[in-house]
Amino acid sequence: MKKRIIVVGNGMVGFKFCEKLRSRSADAEIIVYGEEPRPAYDRVHLSSYFSGSTADDLLMAPASWYDEHSITLHTSELVTEINRIDKTIRTHAGRSDRYDYLVLATGSSAFVPSIEGVERDGVFVYRTIEDLIQITEYAKKVKRGAVMGGGLLGLEAAKALIDLGLETHVVEFAPRLMPRQIDEAASEILTHKLMQLGISIHTGKSTKKIEGNGKLEGLLFADDTKLDIEMLVISAGIRPRDELAKATLLNVHPRGGIVVDNYMRTSDEYIFAIGEAAVHNNMVYGLVAPGYDMAEIVARQLTGDTSRQFTGFDMSTKLKLIGVDVGSFGDPFCDATPHIPIVFKNKHKGTYKRINISEDGKYLLGGILIGDASQYNILHQMVMNNMVLPENPETLIVGGGKANDEAAGVKGLPDTAQICSCENITKGAIVEQITSCGAKSLDDIKKSTKACTGCGGCTPMVNDLLKITLESLGHKVKKSLCEHFDYTRQELYDIIKVKGIKSYDQLLNTHGTGDGCEVCKPAVASLMSSIWNELIVEQDTIQDSNDRFLANIQRGGTYSVVPRIAGGEITPRKLAAIGRIAEKYNLYTKITGGQRIDMFGANVNQLPDIWEELIAEGFESGHAYGKALRTIKSCVGSTWCRYGVQDSVSFAVFIEERYKGLRAPHKLKGAVSGCIRECAEAQSKDFGIIATEKGWNLYVCGNGGARPQHARLLVADVDTATCVKYIDRFLMFYIKTADPLTRTATWLNKMEGGLEYLYDVVVNDSLGIGEELEKDMADLIANYHCEWKKVVEDPKLRAKFKHFINADEEDPTIQYVDLRGQKMPSDWNK
């Protein structure tokens, strides 16, 4: 006899239960009631609605999916009553329905504190697409908004207000942001990062009253301070939806939530509860992964499989909040556990990393990552699988050891390691799909195991596992650029060069499929620039916005202008010219860490006029917008410095002039120091040159940024000509072989044989391509042109620089404020 199963609630967990049950039983009769007007959608990525995603984009599956899987779906229908004796439910529309088993997946609602004035117009919660629609409409009428709650959901809501163009504030009752996930030091870094993005943070604030006359006008705090706002989004926590359970006298926790056992059974053996509606061992789980695990266990129960129980869930999490990586894993605080904390903090770069290790130094207990969570997956696995720490555990967060190689870490995991927490997929299950079932791509793994289809956080590890396993089977792992080109970047480089292809459409028609995408278009644009060094704006439709307009787009929609100042050397006349031009166009000016002068705040239609005046003064493009050579930094060397042993300025000017305009897989930076005191910081650059008594030391593959890495010494005490020859070879070898958007440091880290192999190729010419590399570089240098000058001189190209296709006026939405005597876009100073 078929089992008739009714699911109350059609959120992510309710949908996942239907999916899992149907995969286990083709006979079960499944009926779903959802109170919202649409099928289940992805609440985890709800904030993407404000950055362009539609409601349909967020759907877990279209309505047709339910029909295809013989599942009856009732939307816009709220279940209001359960009759446990008759085993029936009743909806608000008067419908009555019978069940054999009932699954309550009612989720949670937003917790709204009892504050005077909470009913005013302009106060919203952040839970459903309907909430988002109302927030979007109301935001059109106001300028200042706030979020009450500085936790995960609160910061997601803050991103929504930023995306809507509002002055944004976050109000948190606790003394720090995200008090349940991160410590005080991490919160300080996160706060600093968010403030840089224009969000005002107010911690330790208890809201006493929401003020206004009918509509919201501001917040009054318990300390009698005020915050003038016009809109408030409350995101102060969740409350399990347990009203149905209470009404039918199921056991409910005193703090809310339907009490369940290890099999997710309620106090009625025919009723289960899963997701945020359930309380297991006094715990409500607010993440989607444990909800999916609960769904799996109930699906097993209903098909006679009692082999698995729910015994709790690891609450480690990694996410990107408003562009800032945040991760916490294991026990992030270790308040009640003896431990030794190891902390790395860089406030300037906005990174904070803390790991807690056992007192004997053998095991990782937990930790926190802010600003750079790239090591999250392997660190989390080390905690979950009780893996022994390396000899120097600090290398886990600061680099410099083999433990930082995530692929190697994945290889060492046991088969029981849980790789995908959303679907509870182990390493062994993924490996089996590859070794026994023929999976050869990430899509194959997704289809067969559902890994990577939830939050997506496991994707890097699954990719590494796929690559390692395929290689162990003797397969050659091919890194296709994207679905439109079945070639690696290096293969496309050779195709474009050998066949003389000079347009994206020609390459797509002859060697690709479809219409292309945001991955392959800029990658191909970069390849063609690296090979032919022709004018990049002639193919502007495949460029990123910066390359398209030959300038860096800034907050507020304006652009920055960065002329080249080779080696940081500039004459007084040119210095005065920059001042005159910046003053004429009312541009904000700043001297950068790379010894350049940036001018900010130019409207797109002003760019050719500004360039024209700079060109007349002898300047040219500094390529600050491109994946190209940016700067060659220098000290004053032997020209002025009493410690200098070589003329570093002249060499820096020569090097920058030689490689200016050189396009590459990622940006390139260099430096020349006149002595070993290293004032130009050459060892933090993609290539750095340091003077010695005998000549020059050449260092390669360093970088700053979120994961700084010292450059490695390639050759020592070489003369100028030899140094330049090796740089030519090094740069061209990098351009030919690196993956898109890969810095030289990462390229070297992934290179089989590492620095020793690179030395053999560049210095010993082990591949016999040294002369070819030098010739390719000479061709690129010979074909250099100033992109600004080309635009200025070509009326057709110049006409592309306008805000609107059908009008010549400037963008009227751009507004400025004064800051220390210079103009700034208004949203920079909120």
Side-chain angles (χ1 to χ4, degrees), residues 19-27 296 299-300 303 305:
E19 188 180 67
K20 289 179 179 294
L21 180 59
R22 181 54 81 221
S23 69
R24 288 179 164 272
S25 171
D27 297 330
E296 169 75 17
R300 286 173 178 256
T303 53
D305 180 355

Side-chain angles (χ1 to χ4, degrees), residues 2 44 105 108 123 126 183 200 250 314 378 515 629 657 664 671 678 798 816:
K2 286 186 178 180
V44 172
S108 63
V123 180
Y126 189 83
D183 60 17
S200 298
L250 292 174
D314 175 65
I378 192 62
D515 298 319
L629 180 79
E657 292 288 348
E678 246 284 70
R798 193 163 183 157
Y816 301 96

Side-chain angles (χ1 to χ4, degrees), residues 272-294:
F272 298 85
I274 57 178
E276 292 175 343
V279 174
H280 177 267
N281 282 346
N282 301 310
M283 178 80 174
V284 174
Y285 290 89
L287 298 178
V288 69
Y292 285 1
D293 201 33
M294 296 176 186

Side-chain angles (χ1 to χ4, degrees), residues 301-314:
Q301 289 286 304
L302 295 176
T303 53
D305 180 355
T306 60
S307 61
R308 276 195 60 201
Q309 299 182 42
F310 187 84
T311 56
F313 204 89
D314 175 65

Side-chain angles (χ1 to χ4, degrees), residues 114-125:
S114 298
I115 300 173
E116 182 182 349
V118 76
E119 74 289 345
R120 297 194 190 283
D121 286 346
V123 180
F124 302 89
V125 294

Side-chain angles (χ1 to χ4, degrees), residues 363 380-388 413-418:
Y363 301 102
H380 181 212
Q381 290 295 334
M382 292 186 75
V383 173
M384 296 295 291
N385 294 285
N386 209 30
M387 295 170 66
V388 177
L413 292 174
D415 285 346
T416 56
Q418 185 190 63

Side-chain angles (χ1 to χ4, degrees), residues 647-750:
D647 184 358
S648 57
V649 178
S650 294
F651 199 18
V653 171
F654 170 80
I655 290 293
E656 186 160 346
E657 292 288 348
R658 180 175 182 81
Y659 301 121
K660 62 186 179 184
L662 182 70
R663 298 278 173 166
H666 213 301
K667 62 186 176 184
L668 290 165
K669 295 182 180 181
V672 183
S673 284
C675 72
I676 59 172
R677 294 171 70 87
E678 246 284 70
C679 292
E681 299 170 327
Q683 292 180 77
S684 65
K685 302 295 190 285
D686 294 283
F687 63 99
I689 306 163
I690 300 177
T692 71
E693 295 285 354
K694 299 178 181 178
W696 306 98
N697 286 352
L698 175 59
Y699 292 80
V700 295
C701 300
N703 66 248
R707 300 184 69 180
Q709 182 169 315
H710 267 88
R712 309 279 294 278
L713 179 64
L714 186 70
V715 289
D717 296 327
V718 294
D719 59 42
T720 300
T722 304
C723 186
V724 172
K725 179 174 72 172
Y726 291 157
I727 297 173
D728 282 355
R729 292 181 178 184
F730 162 71
L731 290 176
M732 283 309 304
F733 189 53
Y734 164 64
I735 289 169
K736 282 176 176 283
T737 61
D739 290 331
L741 301 180
T742 300
R743 290 293 298 271
T744 56
T746 305
W747 172 65
L748 180 63
N749 291 344
K750 293 182 176 181

Side-chain angles (χ1 to χ4, degrees), residues 1-5 16-31 65-66 68-72 100-101 295-296 298-305:
M1 181 177 175
K2 286 186 178 180
K3 292 178 182 175
R4 185 176 176 84
I5 298 158
K16 187 58 64 174
F17 168 75
C18 293
E19 188 180 67
K20 289 179 179 294
L21 180 59
R22 181 54 81 221
S23 69
R24 288 179 164 272
S25 171
D27 297 330
E29 192 175 355
I30 307 174
I31 304 96
W65 178 88
Y66 296 84
E68 291 165 4
H69 291 81
S70 301
I71 297 172
T72 302
D100 293 314
Y101 290 95
E296 169 75 17
V298 176
R300 286 173 178 256
Q301 289 286 304
L302 295 176
T303 53
D305 180 355

